[in-house]
Amino acid sequence: MNDLRELYREVILDHNRHPRNFGELQNPDKIIEGVNPLCGDRMTLYVKMENKKIQDISFKGTGCAISVASSSLMTEKAKGSSFEEIDALFEYVHEMLTGDPTTVASNLDTLDKLTALSGVREYPTRVKCATLAWHALKNAIVGSDDKISTE
Ligand code: FES
């Protein structure tokens, strides 16, 4: 168990120090602004999509280690995924962070590295840090508001 926690910690630290897909995308189809009102941290998500698939995705912004790592892991996983796959991922991540923890065990293959975020459920104030990027992604694919808040 401790080894697993250490592995999760390393994944989060790595994605915080070296966030993947960080920066602005040229000619995105969608730009979503996300804010965590608890701390005032913001992120912007840039998405290119075609045929109900994420072609390219990136993010920019400031936030805590959990927020940056979660955004980085999310973009890695979302790139190339269909909207249908993203809907399922969104549900799994949400369950993993706020709902039934057994979801993790039954969806290990799909969640893959995202399981590194599973420990966040023990810190309720940080759950919003971890979900911000996911709500922004969900808004991008359903084509709703360009601004989101985790409140
Ligand atoms: Fe601001 Fe986590 S404390 S995003």
Side-chain angles (χ1 to χ4, degrees), residues 3-151:
D3 285 355
L4 197 57
R5 273 177 193 250
E6 186 54 28
L7 179 70
Y8 288 171
R9 211 176 70 90
E10 271 168 27
V11 171
I12 288 173
L13 288 178
D14 173 42
H15 277 260
N16 176 48
R17 282 194 199 121
H18 311 286
R20 319 304 196 260
N21 306 304
F22 191 83
E24 211 171 309
L25 215 58
Q26 295 303 304
N27 307 316
D29 296 305
K30 201 85 180 147
I31 300 176
I32 307 279
E33 304 278 351
V35 63
N36 182 350
L38 285 180
C39 57
D41 287 334
R42 294 171 182 276
M43 61 98 62
T44 308
L45 190 65
Y46 304 87
V47 190
K48 273 192 193 183
M49 40 199 165
E50 201 176 290
N51 296 331
K52 299 198 166 204
K53 223 174 172 179
I54 304 292
Q55 278 188 308
D56 209 352
I57 184 164
S58 73
F59 76 102
K60 240 173 57 175
T62 52
C64 62
I66 300 287
S67 150
V68 172
S70 179
S71 303
S72 172
L73 286 160
M74 179 280 281
T75 57
E76 232 185 15
K77 193 81 180 170
K79 204 185 274 194
S81 293
S82 68
F83 288 7
E84 208 176 315
E85 287 165 333
I86 285 169
D87 275 340
L89 268 176
F90 182 89
E91 291 308 320
Y92 295 156
V93 170
H94 216 259
E95 275 295 299
M96 174 174 78
L97 294 171
T98 63
D100 177 3
T102 60
T103 321
V104 179
S106 41
N107 294 292
L108 274 183
D109 285 351
T110 315
L111 285 164
D112 193 22
K113 267 195 254 169
L114 298 173
T115 52
L117 298 167
S118 61
V120 175
R121 60 180 291 118
E122 289 165 34
Y123 309 93
T125 55
R126 310 312 288 280
V127 168
K128 288 185 196 307
C129 306
T131 52
L132 182 62
W134 291 90
H135 284 288
L137 177 63
K138 182 86 175 178
N139 273 29
I141 68 169
V142 297
S144 65
D145 281 357
D146 292 345
K147 268 213 164 103
I148 63 140
S149 159
T150 51
E151 282 299 286

